[in-house]
Amino acid sequence: MMKANPGLEGVVVADTSVSDVDGERGRLVIAGLDVEQLARTATFEEAVSRVLAAGAATPVAAAGAQLGAARAEAWELISRLGDALDHADGMDALRTALAHLPSTTDDLAAAVRAIGAGPVFVAAWNRRRAGQPPVAPDPSLSHAADYLRMTTGRSPSPEAVAATNAYLVTVIDHAMSASTFTARVIASTGSDLLSAMVGAIGALKGPLHGGAPGPVLDMLDAIGRPDHAERWLLDELAAGRRIMGMGHRVYRVRDPRAAVLEEAARPLSSDRLALARAVEAAASKILRERKPDRPLAANVEFYTAVLLDAVGLPREQFSPTFAISRLAGWSAHVLEQRRTGRLIRPSSHYTGPRPA
Ligand code: COA
């Protein structure tokens, strides 16, 4: 009889050229480059071009250059979205708004359309809930700069733009994450790319996947001072709760993206950076003592919280910002999935009653 493996650990479901995670050594390669190098040297537009090219069967070198036009195209839709953006949760708003984009069988056009629309919809959602009018995109700006400007209504500082760009590049893809798998399952049925994006957002929304950075900031606020960290963390564990931003399904060492984002957040001189480092050190020590057989180190969400807060995004916008970047990775995987042409359809183990 087949036994179920509910977390699918160790099950290889696809060959991919988009990215690779080495969980033992803490290494992440995205479209042929280490995440450290990509985050230091690439604009988000270049990273988009790279991942789409990695996933696509035919060359798509300059796809990222079309994002400004795609943002402008999405803006045309804003006035027609009505209350589709009026969700309390930004992920719900992004999911609903993306579903309004015109569908097309041209996957690459759909990918550029969705990646361009992400920041327009998320920034508009945030402004509407704050009672402010949405800000139109400026296609001449970089994706990172325009996203910040559309969110705050002000010209962002070069430091904030650089940090936001580094963030968007860093989280653009991460091998077979739950949301990526979701996107690939949807694509494998022959469904359209936008449907795959909408489904993937649903998967990313959960706190075990992309929903943790807001709670990480809540934790830092609750701790307040480095010397309070240990007591607070012990109480949290005693209450049966997990420490947000710690642990990962694949990494057995510190998530390499934590280091990249910690570095990228440094020029923003956030008070929270020093606190975050102290909390990470205390959490690592406590979890090492509590779970000596299961290495639990900081994951990407830990310094995501510090960085996105320091560039001026509200915490409710953290998970949608993750999604804005990951739309590119998901799209690359959809393009790649198309090349296999194979329906993903695993099996289950029936445990219910059988007819006599
Ligand atoms: N704090 C405290 N304990 C943790 C923990 C955390 N952040 N993460 C895992 N553990 C413990 C579990 O309680 C479990 O202990 P047990 O065997 O005594 O029950 C053990 O470590 C293994 O956990 P498991 O649930 O099997 O790991 P996983 O691979 O399914 O979990 C995460 C990975 C990310 C879901 C998990 O580490 C987590 O919930 N982290 C906090 C949320 C978070 O940061 N999410 C963002 C991920 S990028």
Side-chain angles (χ1 to χ4, degrees):
M1 200 194 296
M2 282 184 298
K3 224 173 145 278
N5 173 5
L8 297 184
E9 290 98 325
V11 178
V12 177
V13 296
D15 291 328
T16 183
S17 323
V18 185
S19 67
D20 183 43
V21 177
D22 180 340
E24 298 297 327
R25 272 174 287 200
R27 190 165 185 196
L28 167 59
V29 171
I30 301 172
L33 294 178
D34 277 314
V35 64
E36 292 83 357
Q37 188 189 349
L38 195 66
R40 234 187 359 255
T41 59
T43 62
F44 180 67
E45 285 79 350
E46 288 161 354
V48 167
S49 296
R50 282 190 80 92
V51 294
L52 291 181
T58 50
V60 293
Q66 301 162 26
L67 293 184
R71 291 196 303 276
E73 190 193 324
W75 176 253
E76 299 296 312
L77 209 68
I78 285 283
S79 59
R80 282 187 279 130
L81 283 178
D83 50 12
L85 284 172
D86 292 341
H87 286 271
D89 188 293
M91 296 293 270
D92 291 342
L94 178 59
R95 157 172 69 61
T96 311
L98 279 180
H100 282 74
L101 287 176
S103 200
T104 163
T105 51
D106 179 342
D107 283 333
L108 192 57
V112 170
R113 188 175 281 166
I115 303 164
V120 177
F121 293 161
V122 171
W125 161 77
N126 181 56
R127 290 186 68 83
R128 276 176 74 102
R129 87 195 166 99
Q132 297 163 326
V135 174
D138 176 349
S140 71
L141 293 178
S142 72
H143 211 60
D146 210 15
Y147 178 44
L148 291 178
R149 196 189 58 88
M150 287 188 288
T151 298
T152 64
R154 295 184 302 276
S155 267
S157 71
E159 292 78 18
V161 173
T164 305
N165 182 76
Y167 172 75
L168 293 175
V169 170
T170 300
V171 302
I172 197 166
D173 198 56
H174 201 242
M176 202 49 59
S177 68
S179 55
T180 300
F181 183 49
T182 305
R184 288 190 79 127
V185 169
I186 294 172
S188 84
T189 69
S191 184
D192 64 296
L193 184 137
L194 282 174
S195 296
M197 300 299 104
V198 170
I201 288 169
L204 184 64
K205 184 182 166 188
L208 300 187
H209 187 3
V216 168
L217 203 60
D218 296 339
M219 169 178 76
L220 296 179
D221 284 348
I223 293 175
R225 289 172 28 184
D227 56 331
H228 286 175
E230 194 155 334
R231 181 72 268 145
W232 191 93
L233 294 166
L234 287 170
D235 288 348
E236 196 70 356
L237 291 175
R241 289 188 286 270
R242 292 183 174 198
I243 310 301
M244 287 293 122
M246 300 295 292
H248 197 273
R249 171 60 61 81
V250 182
Y251 291 118
R252 291 297 169 266
V253 292
R254 196 174 189 237
D255 184 333
R257 298 168 299 174
V260 171
L261 298 182
E262 182 185 2
E263 186 60 36
R266 205 193 300 260
L268 300 168
S269 64
S270 154
D271 296 346
R272 286 214 181 82
L273 188 55
L275 176 62
R277 286 181 175 139
V279 172
E280 183 195 354
S284 302
K285 175 174 157 283
I286 292 168
L287 290 172
R288 230 179 0 255
E289 288 162 7
R290 291 288 175 94
K291 299 244 168 279
D293 302 330
R294 165 76 189 210
L296 293 167
N299 63 49
V300 64
E301 310 285 32
F302 210 92
Y303 289 95
T304 290
V306 177
L307 187 152
L308 294 185
D309 174 63
V311 299
L313 298 185
R315 67 193 73 192
E316 298 78 11
Q317 207 172 316
F318 291 179
S319 294
T321 304
F322 190 146
I324 283 173
S325 164
R326 192 55 68 82
L327 282 165
W330 294 330
S331 296
H333 280 273
V334 167
L335 296 176
E336 192 170 60
Q337 184 64 36
R338 296 274 194 244
R339 291 156 65 180
T340 76
R342 187 85 184 149
L343 172 71
I344 298 176
R345 203 300 189 188
S347 307
S348 50
H349 170 217
Y350 180 67
T351 58
R354 292 191 185 276

